[in-house]
Amino acid sequence: MTHNCLYFVKETRRQLPSFVSIDVVNIKKIISMLGGVISSEPCDHESYSEKTGNYSFKVVLKTGLDIKNRRVRLAHELGHVKIHMLLGRSFWGELRIGFSSVNLGLREENEARIFALMLLMPRAKFLKVFRENFDDAQGIYNFELISDFFQVPVDFVKLRGTSLGIFEG
């Protein structure tokens, strides 16, 4: 599962022009460049993605999400679009307009989460920032600073650290 996600993350990064920073991914710009539109609506889910045309999709975010959670949800939904809906591949054309990530299962949710972790916090950069935010005197990491650097919630930072085997979850 992780190798599959890593392939799609690398593919997504290759599609980006050089001016798009990888340090702190501009997820809104990536979605727009791939033919997506973002909206906020009151809904039952934190977010979902939906095919809207032959070369387009939308990502809907639940109204009221803070900026860090918005970034995570956008990257998560982009994972669904890239991995499960196969944007840019023949399978995309076979999906009916209106197909939504709401219809996907637990395995697909986990893959989208891993995609988001990898996209928003690339391994090498994460390890560097993680080491820079270790307090030797107290023997602890400053998760808030790491969270602020990557503009993601603290629990997402901890999940990335766990996925890289830095500490147990």
Side-chain angles (χ1 to χ4, degrees), residues 57-117:
F57 63 97
K58 73 175 177 177
V59 175
V60 178
L61 299 170
K62 186 175 191 170
T63 306
L65 292 176
D66 64 53
I67 188 68
K68 290 179 178 181
N69 280 297
R70 286 176 61 87
R71 283 178 44 77
V72 167
R73 296 311 309 171
L74 288 170
H76 178 96
E77 294 305 329
L78 181 58
H80 283 311
V81 169
K82 293 293 290 182
I83 299 169
H84 307 121
M85 297 181 193
L86 296 174
L87 176 65
R89 291 189 163 68
S90 60
F91 181 72
W92 178 262
E94 296 171 18
L95 287 177
R96 65 174 169 73
I97 292 178
F99 180 86
S100 168
S101 63
V102 172
N103 303 321
L104 300 172
L106 184 59
R107 189 194 72 168
E108 291 86 0
E109 286 300 311
N110 288 332
E111 288 175 342
R113 185 178 305 109
I114 291 168
F115 177 93
L117 287 169

Side-chain angles (χ1 to χ4, degrees), residues 1-9 83 110-111 114-115 118 160 163-164:
M1 175 168 50
T2 300
H3 295 296
N4 189 32
C5 294
L6 183 58
Y7 168 81
F8 284 106
V9 167
I83 299 169
N110 288 332
E111 288 175 342
I114 291 168
F115 177 93
M118 292 176 164
R160 182 60 168 148
S163 76
L164 292 172

Side-chain angles (χ1 to χ4, degrees), residues 1-167:
M1 175 168 50
T2 300
H3 295 296
N4 189 32
C5 294
L6 183 58
Y7 168 81
F8 284 106
V9 167
K10 287 181 177 181
E11 178 188 72
T12 301
R13 288 196 181 127
R14 276 194 304 274
Q15 293 173 322
L16 305 178
S18 59
F19 66 83
V20 177
S21 169
I22 294 301
D23 278 357
V24 178
V25 175
N26 185 337
I27 193 69
K28 289 181 183 179
K29 183 176 277 296
I30 294 170
I31 288 172
S32 175
M33 290 169 56
L34 294 174
V37 175
I38 302 166
S39 68
S40 290
E41 302 173 9
C43 55
D44 295 335
H45 304 278
E46 292 288 304
S47 61
Y48 66 91
S49 47
E50 182 178 302
K51 179 178 177 178
T52 57
N54 288 333
Y55 303 100
S56 60
F57 63 97
K58 73 175 177 177
V59 175
V60 178
L61 299 170
K62 186 175 191 170
T63 306
L65 292 176
D66 64 53
I67 188 68
K68 290 179 178 181
N69 280 297
R70 286 176 61 87
R71 283 178 44 77
V72 167
R73 296 311 309 171
L74 288 170
H76 178 96
E77 294 305 329
L78 181 58
H80 283 311
V81 169
K82 293 293 290 182
I83 299 169
H84 307 121
M85 297 181 193
L86 296 174
L87 176 65
R89 291 189 163 68
S90 60
F91 181 72
W92 178 262
E94 296 171 18
L95 287 177
R96 65 174 169 73
I97 292 178
F99 180 86
S100 168
S101 63
V102 172
N103 303 321
L104 300 172
L106 184 59
R107 189 194 72 168
E108 291 86 0
E109 286 300 311
N110 288 332
E111 288 175 342
R113 185 178 305 109
I114 291 168
F115 177 93
L117 287 169
M118 292 176 164
L119 183 67
L120 295 176
M121 295 177 284
R123 183 182 190 280
K125 189 65 173 181
F126 182 83
L127 293 173
K128 180 180 184 298
V129 171
F130 208 74
R131 281 190 296 273
E132 290 170 354
N133 287 284
F134 182 74
D135 183 335
D136 290 322
Q138 295 183 14
I140 60 171
Y141 292 97
N142 188 328
F143 291 107
E144 287 293 332
L145 289 177
I146 300 166
S147 165
D148 290 345
F149 179 85
F150 288 107
Q151 299 174 19
V152 299
V154 168
D155 62 330
F156 209 62
V157 169
K158 291 178 179 179
L159 187 59
R160 182 60 168 148
T162 300
S163 76
L164 292 172
I166 295 171
F167 50 85

